Amino acid sequence: IISKIIKLPFAIRDIHHQLRHYFISTNIIIVFIVMYIFYCNKKLGFVSLTGVLILLLLTIGTVKKCTDISTRKDMYHNKLHEEIGDVLNNMIPIYSSNTSDKEFKRLRNIQDTLDTEYTGGILCSARLRILFSIFNIILFISINGYAFYLYSTKQIKLGRS
């Protein structure tokens, strides 16, 4: 419990930073871009809005999975630190009963599990970034391709002529 209380200010600061610098600013930009595209052409606006909604749905599922991995990683991290504290507090009984190898093996097993969860978190974050990149490329191509189609069929014009 003490380790969670100690980490709380850092977690709050990180959440505030993420919200302020990424989440809010990005969403405001996306809303205004979609509104502007709707203003220019309703069909093109629907294409961009559909793409943004699909991206939102993909994001929700992926972020939930990454959050679950991060929660497990945090649980193992706390468990490891508690176990290390217990071993350090009980060094005399551990050495007197000659169970140090057993205790270190137990700590190593917890560390290995933590390492596996940490790697899983990194991989999940990488998959999320790859998903964003691929979908943003597809969204870019589809919006610009549809805009070119609308221009070639004379449904929209370039400039204000």
Side-chain angles (χ1 to χ4, degrees):
I1 293 175
I2 292 174
S3 64
K4 291 184 181 185
I5 292 171
I6 291 171
K7 292 190 321 188
L8 186 62
F10 300 112
I12 291 172
R13 185 183 71 213
D14 187 46
I15 290 170
H16 176 263
H17 176 76
Q18 296 291 334
L19 284 174
R20 183 172 167 213
H21 292 284
Y22 300 110
F23 186 75
I24 293 174
S25 61
T26 302
N27 286 332
I28 288 172
I29 290 169
I30 288 172
V31 166
F32 279 108
I33 287 172
V34 170
M35 286 173 34
Y36 178 73
I37 292 174
F38 259 111
Y39 170 76
C40 292
N41 185 290
K42 291 196 186 319
K43 292 177 184 178
L44 201 53
F46 279 116
V47 169
S48 63
L49 181 63
T50 302
V52 168
L53 292 176
I54 291 171
L55 182 62
L56 181 67
L57 291 174
L58 290 173
T59 302
I60 289 171
T62 308
V63 167
K64 181 170 177 12
K65 184 178 178 184
C66 290
T67 303
D68 293 342
I69 292 172
S70 179
T71 303
R72 285 194 316 270
K73 180 186 67 139
D74 192 48
M75 180 190 70
Y76 285 114
H77 183 266
N78 291 337
K79 181 178 180 179
L80 179 64
H81 282 275
E82 288 173 13
E83 294 294 327
I84 289 172
D86 289 345
V87 167
L88 291 175
N89 288 333
N90 297 319
M91 287 301 285
I92 293 174
I94 289 171
Y95 279 112
S96 65
S97 64
N98 201 20
T99 59
S100 61
D101 289 338
K102 179 182 165 189
E103 291 296 324
F104 290 135
K105 184 177 180 183
R106 191 171 56 82
L107 290 176
R108 172 53 55 200
N109 288 338
I110 296 171
Q111 179 66 49
D112 290 343
T113 306
L114 176 62
D115 291 346
T116 301
E117 292 295 330
Y118 183 79
T119 303
I122 297 291
L123 290 174
C124 189
S125 176
R127 281 191 296 268
L128 182 63
R129 289 180 179 170
I130 290 169
L131 176 73
F132 273 155
S133 297
I134 290 171
F135 192 79
N136 282 330
I137 290 168
I138 291 169
L139 187 60
F140 176 80
I141 291 170
S142 62
I143 289 173
N144 285 304
Y146 192 65
F148 181 74
Y149 167 76
L150 291 174
Y151 173 74
S152 65
T153 59
K154 309 249 188 267
Q155 295 181 37
I156 60 172
K157 297 179 188 176
L158 291 178
R160 298 185 181 241
S161 46

